[in-house]
Amino acid sequence: MQAVSVVGDDLRETSDGPRLVGGRCRACGAVAFPRPASCARCTGSDVDEHLLADRGSLWTFTVQNFLPKAPYDGWAEFTPYGVGYVELDGEVLVESRLLASSAAGLRIGAAVHLVVEEYGADASGTPLTTFAFAVDGAPA
Amino acid sequence: MSVSIAGIGMHPFGRTEGVSGMQQGVVAVRAALRDAGLTWDDVDFAAGGSEAAGNPDTMVSALGLTGIPFINVKNGCATGGSALTVAAAAIESGQAEVAVALGFDKHPRGAFNEDPARWGLPEWYGRTGMMLTTQFFAMKIQRYMHDYGISDAALAKVAVKAFENGALNENAWRRAPLTEAEVAGSRMINHPLTQYMYCSPGEGAVAVVLRRTSQGAASREVKLASVAFRTRRFGSFEVFSPHLAAERVDGPTVDAAAACFEAAGIDPADVDLAQVQDTESGAEIMHMAETGLCAHGDQEKLIADGSTRIDGSLPINTDGGCLANGEPVGASGLRQVYENVLQLRGDAGPRQVPGSPKVAFTHVYGAPGVSACTLLTV
């Protein structure tokens, strides 16, 4: 069954793999994700589309160990998942799910890369996907 | 400022079946007026907040339809601070001689669930399981521990102290002391924070009666030396942020605390006791330094040597904080003020800070990056 991305236009499949679609302020250069209508730094209103780097390092992390309430619509059979901020050098830090079910493989500074993750399925069984970061070299 | 705390009132925190949040608020207002020796007829102005238990201004149906201005406020966990800010401003501006600040709430069990649209966030942020305040606090302390060498043991010790203090507080929700091993060994919620390191949404209400400070005020009259409220600046690390800027600046806690101390002309070193937002153990640790009460990294030693206990050199969260009282969001900030008034009056009973404290500080922090601080003096 064809998976459905819940992230919409904020994630794009390119010939080089998935990329997050952020915005970059034409006036001051500040990068934001998702792409905002105006810049929170200088209040400029010209924010150009900017594909974020797909590699970075883990700035901080946690592991979600309990089933979140709605609107969470991940797997009904709950498996813990990582959440962290990934520092994309000189651009921005992005909050993301992490491919990890415990803190064991996670450490601040770890090199990570962007992937697409199936995190749940809708009522008809169609898989739902979102973006996530995985630690380089970790088993998938 | 020329504002004094004339009276304080509280409805006990915890779970009270069959009593609405607003009814708890009415109980608190009546108690505060009794404490001040006033009646609702004497009140010129009110500001009230509740996150989830109704519109505070409808309380006039129970309190009395006297026609006074009653402003509803809503700033997440900092709501109590905004109620106090508004009520104090009414007195400072000459609009009122007597003003009431109040807060109440009644939350269902379990972690808060939020609607991304209400916070200007994309739907996927909630659907994919990233819109949880518990995650934010875990990620912030995780980074902080890495940067400043704070240990897992310090996280557990903060919770142990909270429940120890809560056991001495008849209005607290959780009054059973726990050992460090019990806290550390409880269920992992969001690494590195375990179940007993987190506060829970709960119920309760607090009201504070403010009055213009009179000439020749009584010697133990508690004065509101300052109150400051701030929102976040570009580059701070806040809850519900799908991204953080590449540059880092201080958060609203740092800004609000600095403004509060400056307005009062008081140095953080002069603080005799403090109540700081302890949504979880790590928050207390980080907020101690962000408010200027200690240097970053010093918390490890201060906590290990007992300095933050009631009989220590810097007592923190003497009523058990959010950890032992739970967090009825609208009431939580005013609970801190209530506790500091008791302490400054010398009325805190078994948990009284020794040595007649003279300067007491409060701090709240809430989504999406707001903070309010107060300084009370006698």
Side-chain angles (χ1 to χ4, degrees), chain B residues 316-369:
Chain B
I316 305 272
N317 292 332
T318 50
D319 67 351
C322 290
L323 290 175
N325 287 280
E327 194 183 19
V329 165
S332 202
L334 293 172
R335 171 186 52 75
Q336 300 177 329
V337 173
Y338 181 99
E339 172 68 5
N340 279 357
V341 171
L342 283 187
Q343 292 284 350
L344 295 177
R345 286 176 176 173
D347 289 343
R351 61 180 193 281
Q352 178 65 46
V353 168
S356 301
K358 303 214 162 19
V359 177
F361 176 78
T362 71
H363 156 267
V364 284
Y365 169 85

Side-chain angles (χ1 to χ4, degrees), chain B residues 21-22 25-26 28-30 33 40 43-50 53-74 79 82-84 86-87 90 95-96 98-104 206-208 334:
Chain B
M22 199 172 306
V26 170
V29 172
R30 290 191 174 136
L33 288 168
W40 182 248
V43 177
D44 306 313
F45 182 96
S50 170
N55 296 324
D57 60 344
T58 59
M59 288 171 73
V60 293
S61 301
L63 292 168
L65 302 174
T66 57
I68 60 163
F70 191 130
I71 309 288
N72 292 345
V73 296
K74 198 163 184 169
T79 293
S82 30
L84 202 67
V86 173
Q95 270 191 78
V98 175
V100 169
L102 64 101
F104 57 86
V206 183
V208 176
L334 293 172

Side-chain angles (χ1 to χ4, degrees), chain B residues 69-377:
Chain B
F70 191 130
I71 309 288
N72 292 345
V73 296
K74 198 163 184 169
N75 284 102
C77 302
T79 293
S82 30
L84 202 67
T85 300
V86 173
I91 293 180
E92 283 279 279
S93 69
Q95 270 191 78
E97 290 295 316
V98 175
V100 169
L102 64 101
F104 57 86
D105 249 314
K106 190 176 180 89
H107 302 291
R109 283 163 211 284
F112 293 110
N113 59 325
E114 297 287 358
D115 173 10
R118 268 190 63 202
W119 300 86
L121 293 167
E123 192 184 87
W124 56 254
Y125 191 63
R127 291 182 67 182
T128 61
M130 292 196 282
M131 194 160 184
L132 287 97
T133 52
T134 56
Q135 292 173 356
F136 163 74
F137 289 114
M139 289 192 285
K140 191 176 173 198
I141 190 63
Q142 185 94 263
R143 181 72 200 189
Y144 195 87
M145 292 166 81
H146 172 266
D147 288 348
Y148 295 107
I150 303 294
S151 66
D152 285 313
L155 295 177
K157 285 185 204 311
V158 166
V160 169
K161 169 182 68 70
F163 297 122
E164 221 170 70
N165 295 352
L168 303 174
N169 178 1
E170 73 279 6
N171 284 324
W173 182 13
R174 305 202 184 281
R175 304 198 55 200
L178 291 173
T179 66
E180 198 175 318
E182 285 170 327
V183 171
S186 62
R187 195 161 61 92
M188 186 63 80
I189 299 292
N190 282 115
H191 183 83
L193 298 168
T194 65
Q195 180 179 359
Y196 295 127
M197 296 178 187
Y198 276 104
C199 85
S200 305
E203 303 174 20
V206 183
V208 176
V209 179
L210 305 178
R211 184 164 52 192
R212 186 183 307 281
T213 305
S214 56
Q215 296 289 325
S219 64
R220 293 300 287 180
E221 181 167 295
V222 177
K223 294 174 195 69
L224 179 62
S226 66
V227 52
F229 189 102
R230 290 290 185 274
T231 58
R232 67 199 189 279
R233 289 183 287 138
F234 184 79
S236 68
F237 178 17
E238 307 302 338
V239 64
F240 299 158
S241 300
H243 81 270
L244 302 176
E247 63 208 62
R248 284 276 80 69
V249 302
D250 287 332
T253 289
V254 175
D255 294 347
C260 190
F261 282 113
E262 192 187 338
I266 290 172
D267 190 274
D270 297 330
V271 168
D272 295 318
L273 74 142
Q275 319 297 329
V276 302
Q277 181 89 22
D278 61 332
T279 321
E280 39 76 32
S281 293
E284 176 170 317
I285 291 172
M286 294 182 285
H287 291 148
M288 283 169 62
E290 290 183 2
T291 55
L293 296 174
C294 71
H296 288 291
D298 284 1
Q299 302 97 319
E300 183 73 21
K301 179 176 178 303
L302 290 170
I303 290 163
D305 70 15
S307 295
T308 59
R309 294 162 54 113
I310 286 171
D311 59 357
S313 57
L314 180 60
I316 305 272
N317 292 332
T318 50
D319 67 351
C322 290
L323 290 175
N325 287 280
E327 194 183 19
V329 165
S332 202
L334 293 172
R335 171 186 52 75
Q336 300 177 329
V337 173
Y338 181 99
E339 172 68 5
N340 279 357
V341 171
L342 283 187
Q343 292 284 350
L344 295 177
R345 286 176 176 173
D347 289 343
R351 61 180 193 281
Q352 178 65 46
V353 168
S356 301
K358 303 214 162 19
V359 177
F361 176 78
T362 71
H363 156 267
V364 284
Y365 169 85
V370 295
S371 178
C373 298
T374 72
L375 276 161
L376 301 183
T377 58

